[in-house]
Amino acid sequence: MSHPARSGTSSIAALALAVAVALVADCYKPNIQSGGLACADSSAKPCPDGFTCAAGLCVSSSSIPDGAAGSGGHGATGSGGRAGSGGLVGTGGQLGTGGSVGSGGMTGAPRAVGETCTITDLGAPDQSDNCQTGAVCVEDCAQTVCFRTCTADGDCPGSSCTRTTASGTRICEVSYTACDPHAPDGQQGCQGATSCYLLASAPAPGGGERTVCDCAMGEGGLGAPCTDSRDCFPGLVCPVSTAPGGGFCRQACDPSNLLQTGCLVVTACNRYGSKWGYCY
């Protein structure tokens, strides 16, 4: 057997091995799910082709939003979040356009009047929220809701500028509605967990009584001190302190029903507004 023959055979074997390796390298493409593989940005090539390292995970490049699109993304938990107007961590972070806070604040786009909202640093001097301009986030009915800020009744359609937040901001009252403040709870004409409260004796700006369907702000019983009818249990009224017996929770009554006003024999139904009254 001559040496030239052995050299030719070795060359053919080496060529075959090189082709096989190239084919394997070209065909081996593992099925990796987006977000299913951990990575580190410090690595030279932290993820396979078609994937990008973001927030410690290899994610598909096609699933990353454009850095100039969106208004909050999935940032549903406040500043930071997992998304913003671009990238995976707000308006910037690893793949966005500049920072770590979503362009829509704490819960995406600013919340409109009547929508639920989020308060940050409640009670602190720098308290803030994610309501749109002209509104403030207020705790009401076991949730936080955006209320319209105001300076006069004209700013409050169907309501009045007579409510003040704990921080002193004037806001529009809950819309006035026709309901019966002296009927048993659940039969007052209100929906859900709300009850009917008579807030004042003056007519509503659009006419009618200043009655609202709202939730209690306190648990004042009959005779308890109060500043708002919602400080009292449903069925009670808090007359202003300048009215007879005012400044305390009083039983609501119907002055037009002389035989069944709802008051005890030793008390009278004092008219409070044009339709309703309180026992004193």
Side-chain angles (χ1 to χ4, degrees):
M1 183 178 294
S2 64
H3 288 291
R6 183 179 297 115
S7 175
T9 302
S10 299
S11 299
I12 294 173
L15 177 61
L17 178 60
V19 171
V21 170
L23 289 175
V24 170
D26 182 64
C27 295
Y28 181 63
K29 294 182 179 179
N31 184 16
I32 300 174
Q33 294 185 349
S34 180
L37 182 65
C39 60
D41 290 332
S42 58
S43 302
K45 184 176 177 59
C47 296
D49 292 341
F51 290 80
T52 301
C53 187
L57 296 174
C58 289
V59 295
S60 173
S61 301
S62 62
S63 67
I64 299 175
D66 181 75
S71 58
H74 300 290
T77 56
S79 58
R82 280 186 59 84
S85 61
L88 284 171
V89 286
T91 56
Q94 295 172 342
L95 296 167
T97 57
S100 61
V101 180
S103 66
M106 292 170 290
T107 55
R111 309 295 284 171
V113 172
E115 293 183 336
T116 56
C117 50
T118 302
I119 299 175
T120 299
D121 298 328
L122 178 64
D126 59 346
Q127 175 179 321
S128 61
D129 58 54
N130 60 338
C131 294
Q132 62 186 200
T133 302
V136 63
C137 193
V138 177
E139 293 181 312
D140 187 66
C141 284
Q143 61 182 346
T144 48
V145 181
C146 290
F147 276 70
R148 189 188 311 276
T149 57
C150 60
T151 57
D153 288 348
D155 298 329
C156 307
S159 182
S160 61
C161 186
T162 51
R163 190 166 175 176
T164 306
T165 66
S167 62
T169 301
R170 294 180 66 188
I171 59 174
C172 295
E173 184 53 82
V174 176
S175 296
Y176 293 122
T177 185
C179 57
D180 187 344
H182 95 299
D185 198 22
Q187 302 176 29
Q188 299 178 334
C190 296
Q191 302 296 317
T194 62
S195 300
C196 183
Y197 294 94
L198 176 60
L199 300 184
S201 60
E209 303 297 301
R210 294 202 182 207
T211 50
V212 297
C213 287
D214 202 0
C215 299
M217 297 178 179
E219 297 181 341
L222 188 64
C226 58
T227 57
D228 187 296
S229 291
R230 288 164 292 199
D231 294 336
C232 310
F233 281 123
L236 303 180
V237 178
C238 183
V240 293
S241 58
T242 54
F248 298 90
C249 297
R250 304 296 182 186
Q251 179 67 47
C253 58
D254 182 359
S256 65
N257 191 339
L258 299 179
L259 298 179
Q260 294 181 336
T261 61
C263 298
L264 298 175
V265 177
V266 294
T267 60
C269 185
N270 293 266
R271 189 174 291 276
Y272 198 60
S274 62
K275 187 173 183 179
W276 308 110
Y278 63 93
C279 302
Y280 180 70

